[in-house]
Amino acid sequence: EVQLVESGGGLVQPGGSLRLSCSASGFTFSSHAIHWVRQAPGKGLEYVSGISSNGGTTHYADSVKGRFTISRDNSKNTLYVQMNSLRLEDTAVYYCVKDWLNQGAGIFYFESWGQGTLVTVSS
Amino acid sequence: IQMTQSPSSLSASVGDRVTITCRASQGMNTWVAWYQQKPDKAPKSLIYDASKLESGVPSRFSGSASGADFTLTITSLQPEDFATYYCQQYETYPPTFGGGTKVQI
C-alpha cells in the first residue's frame, strides 16, 4: 500500500522559513516523480512544485519560484521542500503527491496523496 | 490551460444522477483527471485520461470527453459520494485544477 506521510508544518512568521518532509513507502520511490500540491483554507488545489525520479529536474509554480526549493533523498525514500521568505498567502495544507508514471519527470497525474501538513504564516 | 468547472455546487439526493463539467480554455487531448475530496481529507484520484477508472473506484463513476469539455458522471448517487470534486489537466505545464464542485444533500 502506498503511503506518503508529510511532516514539518507549523506556525511561522512572515519572512520566515520552514522545511517540509514527506516519507514514502509501499512503492519504488526512486522510480517516481513526486510533487507538492497545496490547498489554502476553504480554497481549491494549487500545484506548487515537483521533482523527477532522479532529482535532476525540478518544477516550480511562479508563485513560489525563487523562494521554495524541492529536493529528494532516494536512499531515505524522502522528499523535502525548503520554504523561505514565507508570505501570508503561503498558508495552506501541503500535500505530498506521487506521480502515476514510473520514470523521469512524470506526467503530472497525481495518483496518490498524503494526508497533508498545515503551514500557517501569521504574525 | 485554464479549467472552468461547473457548477460550483449542487444539491442532490441519494439515487440521483449527477453531472459535473470542466471546460478547457484551449483544445486538448484527454489528459484530464478527476479527484474526490471529503471534508478534512486528502483528495483521492477517481479517473485519469478522461475516462479511465482508478482501481477500486465504483463503476457508478464515469468520465467522458467531447472537444474541450470533460464530464464526470455519478449514476445513482450514494451517501458516501457527498464531497467536493475537482478536475485537473496534465496535458501542459503547469498542471491546473478546476475550482471544484461541492455535491451536497
Side-chain angles (χ1 to χ4, degrees):
Chain A
E1 179 193 3
V2 171
Q3 284 202 320
L4 300 160
V5 180
E6 303 91 338
S7 60
L11 175 64
V12 61
Q13 291 187 336
S17 298
L18 212 55
R19 188 176 86 153
L20 305 183
S21 300
C22 170
S23 178
S25 61
F27 66 101
T28 305
F29 182 76
S30 59
S31 294
H32 290 263
I34 309 290
H35 310 271
W36 291 99
V37 174
R38 69 185 179 185
Q39 186 171 36
K43 301 297 184 182
L45 301 167
E46 179 189 18
Y47 182 77
V48 175
S49 182
I51 187 166
S52 62
S53 56
N54 67 1
T57 301
T58 56
H59 294 92
Y60 298 96
D62 287 345
S63 57
V64 307
K65 201 170 292 182
R67 300 187 298 121
F68 289 15
T69 302
I70 192 171
S71 61
R72 65 190 295 162
D73 185 338
N74 285 347
S75 68
K76 295 181 178 179
N77 287 0
T78 303
L79 173 76
Y80 306 97
V81 62
Q82 176 68 40
M83 305 187 296
N84 297 331
S85 303
L86 283 163
R87 305 168 179 169
L88 297 176
E89 56 265 34
D90 294 320
T91 295
V93 173
Y94 285 74
Y95 295 104
C96 172
V97 184
K98 170 182 170 282
D99 197 285
W100 176 84
L101 187 65
N102 61 350
Q103 63 176 322
I107 61 169
F108 301 93
Y109 164 50
F110 307 129
E111 182 184 39
S112 301
W113 299 63
Q115 284 307 297
T117 187
L118 176 62
V119 172
T120 303
V121 183
S122 175
S123 55
Chain B
I1 296 177
Q2 305 300 320
M3 301 296 283
T4 302
Q5 189 170 341
S6 62
S8 57
S9 66
L10 64 90
S11 296
S13 301
V14 173
D16 284 354
R17 178 187 179 95
V18 168
T19 299
I20 300 168
T21 299
C22 269
R23 173 162 289 177
S25 60
Q26 64 188 66
M28 54 180 287
N29 293 308
T30 58
W31 305 113
V32 169
W34 290 94
Y35 303 91
Q36 176 193 65
Q37 186 178 33
K38 296 183 179 179
D40 298 320
K41 298 292 186 183
K44 170 190 171 184
S45 56
L46 297 176
I47 287 172
Y48 63 102
D49 292 358
S51 61
K52 297 178 181 177
L53 222 58
E54 271 289 353
S55 175
V57 174
S59 59
R60 62 180 179 273
F61 290 91
S62 64
S64 63
S66 177
D69 291 338
F70 298 86
T71 300
L72 172 69
T73 300
I74 311 171
T75 57
S76 189
L77 197 68
Q78 297 301 300
E80 60 268 30
D81 301 335
F82 291 95
T84 300
Y85 294 85
Y86 294 93
C87 63
Q88 179 231 333
Q89 69 82 18
Y90 49 100
E91 173 152 327
T92 65
Y93 184 83
T96 48
F97 295 88
T101 296
K102 186 173 184 179
V103 177
Q104 307 175 94
I105 299 174

